Amino acid sequence: MFDETDFRAKPGNKLNLTKVSTDYTAGYGSKEEAQQRIEKNIERMARIQDILYAQDKYAVLIIIQAMDAAGKDGVIKHVMSGLNPQGTMVHSFKVPSPEELDHDYLWRYNKALPERGRIGIFNRSYYEDVLVVRVHNLVEKQQRLPAEFINGDIWKQRLEDIRNFERYLHGNGMVIMKFYLHVSKQEQKQRLLARLDEPDKNWKFNSGDLQERQHWEQYREYYEEAIEATDKDYAPWYIIPADKKWFARLAISEIIADNLESLKLEYPQLGEEQLKMLSVYRDQLLDD
Ligand code: ADP
């Protein structure tokens, strides 16, 4: 068993991802053992989603970040499968389009935020703008910022932007949870090999993933910096051991269900007048 604090970066300690296990399973021994609990968690989420929608006050933003082949798509597919599609939206962020590059970097994410009553999942997010953009120096190559804003402080500045952006969202009723799927370099290698060796997985292979793998250490450092700078109680980061896909799905479903339950949401209650009207309508229908 585990609780969400097991996966929070520990405040005050410098985050070193090489020291955080990628294959911890909290005593669970197998996929089969985890499956029942995942299903329970999905039911818990679905129950609260219904109330969330009825209330129309909070919105929920779930951010999934990871190195390539860490299992983002699988988590989204399995963990969200029991939710009501009407109240759930998934956005996958790719290389920005020319239109998106004509705006400030947060624009496209802001536009995609879930409405009140809804659960929004970001498959990649504005964190890419302090990760891939930083690794490949895309601010200069792609983002067309005026030169005077491109200097050594830009990453610090962006992390502050993100912190403030998330605090602002929180203050407007957004419940934010951020998951980093923590996979080992060795496990990534196995998964990329499987994409080459298994015909049904060939379509997933992207030679670009091999190039990104060359930058593993750099990504790790930038992840550490980003997580440290933006891990707040109003927008927590969870570092999820992801070498076993089933455990990542279990941990994420459990954390989301726990966090949603802790909001203690209740169906909207009708006032006395409205309740009286219900009985008038009931009589009308019965006399029909
Ligand atoms: P995924 O790997 O998420 O399954 P893709 O294979 O289509 O999906 O990859 C999406 C690509 O978009 C990734 O290589 C990622 O680095 C890139 N990307 C996402 N956001 C940005 C951004 N803001 N700037 C540049 N590249 C980005």
Side-chain angles (χ1 to χ4, degrees), residues 29 100 118 139 183 254:
E100 288 167 344
R118 312 293 212 280
V139 168
V183 81
E254 184 99 10

Side-chain angles (χ1 to χ4, degrees), residues 8-244:
R8 288 287 299 276
K10 304 287 172 269
N13 291 339
K14 193 154 170 37
L15 177 61
N16 179 346
L17 284 170
T18 63
K19 298 260 163 64
V20 182
S21 172
T22 54
D23 68 358
Y24 171 75
T25 60
Y28 282 86
S30 69
K31 187 174 174 171
E32 291 65 36
E33 200 185 335
Q35 193 53 37
Q36 277 187 338
R37 189 144 188 112
I38 294 177
E39 277 159 28
K40 246 207 188 92
N41 290 336
I42 291 172
E43 279 168 28
R44 291 165 67 203
M45 284 190 266
R47 199 169 49 239
I48 300 164
Q49 179 184 29
D50 202 48
I51 309 177
L52 192 80
Y53 192 82
Q55 271 206 341
D56 208 14
K57 293 205 160 146
Y58 289 100
V60 177
L61 175 64
I62 296 168
I63 289 182
I64 317 264
Q65 284 287 155
M67 304 281 202
D68 294 314
K72 289 186 284 110
D73 290 353
V75 162
I76 293 169
K77 186 163 124 191
H78 286 84
V79 174
M80 307 306 157
S81 62
L83 297 181
N84 179 353
Q86 286 223 74
T88 316
M89 50 258 275
V90 181
H91 282 273
S92 299
F93 293 99
K94 314 277 182 189
V95 176
S97 68
E99 188 196 14
E100 288 167 344
L101 288 170
D102 258 339
H103 292 269
D104 61 279
Y105 77 96
L106 287 177
W107 181 77
R108 65 173 181 160
Y109 309 101
N110 199 21
K111 236 171 39 138
L113 288 170
E115 302 157 82
R116 293 188 199 284
R118 312 293 212 280
I119 299 177
I121 298 147
F122 279 5
N123 179 354
R124 301 186 186 268
S125 65
Y126 37 83
Y127 284 97
E128 293 298 329
D129 292 82
V130 290
L131 293 163
V132 66
V133 172
R134 189 172 183 185
V135 169
H136 294 290
N137 198 16
L138 298 180
V139 168
E140 272 174 46
K141 292 189 196 144
Q142 214 175 51
Q143 295 200 338
R144 305 206 297 276
L145 269 189
E148 66 265 34
F149 297 115
I150 306 179
N151 55 48
D153 282 341
I154 189 168
W155 309 112
K156 227 172 127 213
Q157 181 60 54
R158 284 194 169 194
L159 290 170
E160 194 179 325
D161 293 340
I162 291 174
R163 232 173 14 240
N164 292 337
F165 180 57
E166 291 180 339
R167 201 184 47 196
Y168 161 81
L169 293 177
H170 167 75
N172 282 274
M174 188 79 67
V175 178
I176 304 171
M177 291 171 241
K178 304 178 291 193
F179 296 96
Y180 171 65
L181 300 187
H182 187 33
V183 81
S184 65
K185 199 173 178 191
Q186 182 56 25
E187 178 63 22
Q188 187 198 52
K189 181 174 170 179
Q190 296 310 320
R191 292 186 191 176
L192 293 177
L193 280 172
R195 291 178 180 186
L196 291 168
D197 295 341
E198 296 173 31
D200 288 356
K201 292 188 176 164
N202 285 165
W203 66 274
K204 285 193 197 172
F205 185 78
N206 173 357
S207 61
D209 292 350
L210 294 188
Q211 278 147 32
E212 292 312 287
R213 189 174 156 80
Q214 307 293 318
H215 301 284
W216 183 276
E217 306 307 326
Q218 193 86 84
Y219 272 108
R220 183 179 48 73
E221 270 176 42
Y222 295 161
Y223 262 113
E224 286 170 351
E225 217 175 294
I227 291 172
E228 251 184 7
T230 60
D231 179 40
K232 298 283 165 193
D233 286 341
Y234 57 77
W237 270 109
Y238 300 100
I239 301 167
I240 304 294
D243 279 0
K244 301 237 172 9

Side-chain angles (χ1 to χ4, degrees), residues 241-255:
D243 279 0
K244 301 237 172 9
K245 289 178 181 172
W246 56 264
F247 183 74
R249 293 168 191 168
L250 169 65
I252 291 177
S253 64
E254 184 99 10
I255 291 169

